[in-house]
Amino acid sequence: MAIYSFWIFDKHCNCIFDREWTLISNSASGTMNSKQTEETAKLLYGMIYSLRSVTKKLSRDDSTNEVRSISIGKYRIHTYCTASGLWFVLLSDYKQSSYAHVLRYIHSHIYVKYVTHNILSPYDFAENENETRGRGFRKISNRNFISALESFLGPMIAQ
């Protein structure tokens, strides 16, 4: 049960953090906050957003009907949306049924501790109107956040 990539999107459709692993056997391999993944981030967010819109329209009542996991071929996309509009997305192999608890933990224990409570980190990664709708360029670069995330997800990469 391998993890291939991890993404965080803000409420403006901007990818504010991405991490991809290229070698399953080496958790230090791959890219982080790379310009090469911008197009992939837009496609991934667009697919999740569209599926979320469809489920809301198909839902007969006003209850929340969230997309938590999407299976595509040999991959599974796990999503977690926060009340503030952040999207935590994890791409894994299809064998893993749910990583919801992992995404909740990343948000509540790692993201909140190292990004939200950091007074030097921006509250909103899109500072003006030109940086919305996926055109933002600011990324999370907090070393403590990255280190905590790597140490938490590292053992799960090569499973």
Side-chain angles (χ1 to χ4, degrees), residues 2 22 34 37 77 86 92 105 124 127 133 140-141 149 152:
T22 53
S34 172
T37 59
I77 300 169
L86 291 172
S92 72
Y105 181 86
D124 194 356
E127 289 187 355
R133 312 291 269 156
I140 297 172
S141 58
L149 184 68
F152 179 70

Side-chain angles (χ1 to χ4, degrees), residues 3 24 26 51 56 60 77-78 91 140 145 150 159:
I3 294 175
I24 302 298
N26 184 3
L51 285 173
K56 281 186 176 184
R60 294 179 186 238
I77 300 169
H78 308 271
L91 182 68
I140 297 172
F145 170 78
E150 290 284 330
Q159 284 185 349

Side-chain angles (χ1 to χ4, degrees), residues 134-149:
R135 294 186 304 249
F137 58 89
R138 288 176 180 75
K139 303 269 188 178
I140 297 172
S141 58
N142 184 321
R143 284 181 281 168
N144 294 329
F145 170 78
I146 294 168
S147 174
L149 184 68

Side-chain angles (χ1 to χ4, degrees), residues 36-149:
Q36 298 171 343
T37 59
E38 285 181 4
E39 196 63 34
T40 305
K42 289 177 184 178
L43 291 171
L44 184 62
Y45 185 88
M47 181 180 69
I48 295 168
Y49 183 83
S50 297
L51 285 173
R52 186 174 181 225
S53 297
V54 167
T55 57
K56 281 186 176 184
K57 289 178 182 176
L58 292 176
S59 180
R60 294 179 186 238
D61 55 4
D62 291 335
S63 66
T64 57
N65 194 6
E66 288 293 323
V67 174
R68 292 191 182 100
S69 178
I70 306 160
S71 294
I72 48 172
K74 60 181 182 176
Y75 301 106
R76 186 176 299 258
I77 300 169
H78 308 271
T79 64
Y80 175 68
C81 183
T82 67
S84 61
L86 291 172
W87 281 86
F88 291 79
V89 179
L90 197 66
L91 182 68
S92 72
D93 65 355
Y94 69 93
K95 296 174 188 168
Q96 184 64 29
S97 62
S98 177
Y99 269 121
H101 61 286
V102 170
L103 294 173
R104 267 189 244 109
Y105 181 86
I106 291 171
H107 172 252
S108 62
H109 291 88
I110 299 174
Y111 181 85
V112 169
K113 181 177 182 179
Y114 295 111
V115 178
T116 305
H117 290 161
N118 183 355
I119 60 171
L120 299 176
S121 179
Y123 172 75
D124 194 356
F125 284 86
E127 289 187 355
N128 58 45
E129 197 67 31
N130 295 331
E131 296 178 19
T132 59
R133 312 291 269 156
R135 294 186 304 249
F137 58 89
R138 288 176 180 75
K139 303 269 188 178
I140 297 172
S141 58
N142 184 321
R143 284 181 281 168
N144 294 329
F145 170 78
I146 294 168
S147 174
L149 184 68

